[in-house]
Amino acid sequence: MQPPYPTNPPAPGGWYPEPGPAPVPGPAPVPGPAPVPGPAPVRTVRSELRDAVLHVELNSPGTGNAVTSAMLDELLAVLAVPDPAVRVIVLSGAGRDFCLGGDRDELFAGLDEDPTGGRIRSYGEKARRVCDALANSSAVTVARVQGRATGAGFALALACDLRVGADNAVFRLPELALGLPVAWGGLLPRLLHEVGAARVREIILTGRPVGAVEAGELTILQRVVPEQDLDGAVAEWTRPITRRPEAALRVTKTLLGSHASATRLADASVLDSELMASVLAAAHYTRSLATRPPAD
């Protein structure tokens, strides 16, 4: 009877041949050099949770904490996903200044790569999402401001619920002098709501600095203290807030935000990225025409 499966002819010595001599191992391979790890990415935002207070620090003092696209990504990673254990978020800046604004070199480099303004739109959208995350967080947000808060730095501070500044704090919006619209992170509607149209108009059109005392009078800051007392002033706010019942605090924050929004006729901050991109792209195109060699 034939087997029901194919067979192979028997090897010499039977179906299961005797094993031959074991192979002689060759020399062990010489390990090559270990791969050299690349440089670790530079972090421009530091965060630390202490009890129920999340401390978030802009950490690029060498640039005056200029806001880059990478910094916005890091801020979004920290702020966009709410942690129910966090009752207060404190935003601060490392070094002498809180924040000197957006990184203009990066903006203009983005225009060189994409003259239509695509990268500017992406940057502007991130800026709006960061400021909205601060303004709409279920936690109470506190800006701790020292030195200069310019442009984007002004916007980040103003997006916070509470703002305490050192007596050396200076706020400024130099956008017009730089050929830019005041269109970063929803700054303009928040500033109009907090300060009032007449004063905001004068601050923007002249581009003049607003010192700490005047910032307090305009409620850009709610408290002004000597710089060495900044941390103590922040603690005086955060200590009682962290003791509030979580549900009551969250609902109260929502109510305050809803009533503030209801007083605005419209919030055009969703157009900030488009406005910024169109103005810069137009300026870039005009400059390129001026430097283009004449046609033969």
Side-chain angles (χ1 to χ4, degrees):
M1 185 176 201
Q2 293 297 321
Y5 46 82
T7 60
N8 296 317
W15 286 98
Y16 302 99
E18 294 292 330
V24 178
V30 179
V36 178
V42 177
R43 306 293 294 181
T44 58
V45 173
R46 291 192 298 195
S47 61
E48 180 184 1
L49 181 60
R50 304 177 206 157
D51 297 325
V53 180
L54 178 64
H55 293 265
V56 179
E57 182 183 59
L58 309 179
N59 184 36
S60 182
T63 67
N65 299 314
V67 181
T68 62
S69 184
M71 179 182 282
L72 291 173
D73 286 334
E74 292 179 44
L75 284 170
L76 281 171
V78 173
L79 300 172
V81 181
D83 183 345
V86 175
R87 302 290 183 86
V88 181
I89 297 172
V90 177
L91 180 66
S92 62
R96 294 172 49 190
D97 297 299
F98 177 74
C99 175
L100 295 185
D103 188 322
R104 284 181 287 157
D105 290 340
E106 182 181 73
L107 290 177
F108 290 124
L111 279 174
D112 289 336
E113 294 180 18
D114 181 1
T116 66
R119 287 188 59 180
I120 307 298
R121 291 184 187 90
S122 174
Y123 173 87
E125 180 59 23
K126 289 180 190 178
R128 186 179 66 83
R129 289 170 57 200
V130 166
C131 289
D132 284 351
L134 286 168
N136 301 325
S137 173
S138 58
V140 175
T141 51
V142 178
R144 177 194 181 280
V145 182
Q146 84 287 354
R148 290 170 289 180
T150 305
F154 198 151
L156 289 171
L158 200 70
C160 294
D161 300 309
L162 301 174
R163 301 174 291 274
V164 59
D167 51 11
N168 66 358
V170 178
F171 295 84
R172 191 166 175 238
L173 295 173
E175 275 78 355
L176 278 181
L178 300 173
L180 302 172
V182 182
W184 201 99
L187 166 66
L188 188 54
R190 289 192 179 95
L191 192 58
L192 288 167
H193 176 76
E194 296 281 278
V195 174
R199 299 304 296 272
V200 170
R201 191 180 303 122
E202 185 253 343
I203 290 169
I204 290 176
L205 294 178
T206 64
R208 68 174 180 81
V210 177
V213 172
E214 184 183 4
E217 294 170 351
L218 296 175
T219 64
I220 294 170
L221 292 173
Q222 289 124 317
R223 189 172 178 188
V224 177
V225 298
E227 186 171 9
Q228 65 269 23
D229 295 338
L230 270 177
D231 290 331
V234 169
E236 286 180 18
W237 278 343
T238 60
R239 197 177 297 117
I241 293 171
T242 56
R243 300 194 188 109
R244 304 293 183 253
E246 186 273 333
L249 185 65
R250 174 169 40 82
V251 171
T252 300
K253 269 282 317 244
T254 303
L255 285 171
L256 288 168
S258 298
H259 287 297
S261 298
T263 61
R264 304 174 190 166
L265 293 177
D267 185 353
S269 63
V270 294
L271 300 176
D272 278 359
S273 59
E274 290 291 341
L275 294 170
M276 181 72 75
S278 61
V279 170
L280 285 176
H284 184 270
Y285 179 70
T286 301
R287 284 196 302 271
S288 68
L289 289 179
T291 58
R292 183 179 299 174
D296 294 335

